[in-house]
Amino acid sequence: MSPLLSRFNSGTKRLLDILLGLLALLLCAPVLLLLYGLLCLQGGRPLFGHVRVGRHGRTFHCYKFRTMYVDAEQRLAELLARDPEARRQWQQDFKLKQDPRVTPLGAFLRKSSLDELPQLWNVLRGQMSLVGPRPVVSEELPRYGEALASYLAVRPGITGLWQVSGRNDTSYAQRVALDAHYVRNWSLWLDITILLRTCLVVLNRRGAY
């Protein structure tokens, strides 16, 4: 059994999430307010809540700063209809290296990972953890195969082993393997190490798009 599934370890991890989450929210408050104001000037809703699957299969709204145009879905549909390579990328990883839906400010937010700061609220609400598997949409669950039980056993994270091991430069199969490895081999030191490595990855903007 994964050490993370024990009541004591789960409680310890949750306490760390609350303490560090509150500290991060206080430190990042000026940046959050600035970005919120800039996105208000662009029109549309500054915050976007996408439905993701969390612990025990419960769905929740995973919050991000809006990085896309208001007509994002129409732009995506038009691109996939005319571009075979874009269709291949989307079918493979649900990601696009050149995404027509993303605004210039949104591209900066994604590269810097600042778009994910609102997920600190998800952490404080107990829907997410600071460190864990990346939250997925329900359509992605079949791709986890035998590793699905590991994913559903824990809270998804703002960052995780995948984010510090190449992020979007890795394949989806590698991502699943990294998530499963994290759950099976969890330790408090592993979480701390991933958080420290995340700071370096964000500064280098490696694998982010």
Side-chain angles (χ1 to χ4, degrees):
M1 184 180 74
S2 165
L4 184 52
L5 301 184
S6 77
R7 187 180 297 272
F8 175 80
N9 287 337
S10 179
T12 301
K13 182 175 173 64
R14 180 64 187 142
L15 179 61
L16 183 69
D17 282 340
I18 293 172
L19 294 178
L20 292 185
L22 281 172
L23 178 61
L25 196 59
L26 289 173
L27 292 176
C28 295
V31 177
L32 285 163
L33 291 173
L34 174 62
L35 294 177
Y36 189 91
L38 291 174
L39 289 168
C40 283
L41 294 176
Q42 288 191 341
R45 294 183 178 181
L47 290 176
F48 175 74
H50 199 280
V51 177
R52 301 295 173 104
V53 181
R55 190 182 187 190
H56 303 318
R58 298 189 186 99
T59 57
F60 67 97
H61 284 89
C62 180
Y63 293 108
K64 286 188 175 186
F65 279 125
R66 183 173 57 83
T67 60
M68 297 185 181
Y69 291 101
V70 176
D71 61 344
E73 294 310 310
Q74 179 182 339
R75 290 171 180 254
L76 176 62
E78 291 174 352
L79 176 67
L80 297 183
R82 69 172 186 269
D83 191 330
E85 174 58 22
R87 281 200 304 275
R88 185 194 65 78
Q89 286 183 26
W90 185 255
Q91 291 167 359
Q92 177 176 304
D93 296 318
F94 295 96
K95 292 274 188 180
L96 294 173
K97 289 188 175 181
Q98 301 296 327
D99 197 328
R101 301 172 296 170
V102 180
T103 67
L105 176 58
F108 166 75
L109 293 178
R110 288 188 174 197
K111 277 286 187 181
S112 60
S113 297
L114 291 173
D115 62 316
E116 298 185 0
L117 283 179
Q119 289 167 27
L120 289 170
W121 179 241
N122 290 119
V123 171
L124 294 179
R125 293 185 67 184
Q127 298 164 328
M128 293 181 63
S129 175
L130 291 175
V131 182
R134 194 73 190 105
V136 300
V137 297
S138 58
E139 291 82 2
E140 294 177 81
L141 293 180
R143 305 183 71 171
Y144 269 73
E146 295 180 357
L148 181 59
S150 295
Y151 173 83
L152 295 176
V154 300
R155 293 181 180 90
I158 295 180
T159 187
L161 197 55
W162 170 66
Q163 286 90 332
V164 299
S165 302
R167 201 171 177 179
N168 291 317
D169 292 334
T170 62
S171 69
Y172 204 102
Q174 289 172 314
R175 167 179 166 173
V176 170
L178 288 167
D179 284 345
H181 177 85
Y182 168 79
V183 176
R184 290 195 304 266
N185 298 278
W186 179 86
S187 69
L188 195 59
W189 176 245
L190 178 60
D191 271 9
I192 293 171
T193 301
I194 290 174
L195 288 171
L196 293 175
R197 289 176 62 187
T198 297
C199 295
L200 296 176
V201 170
V202 169
L203 290 174
N204 293 332
R205 301 184 184 182
R206 182 165 57 89
Y209 57 82

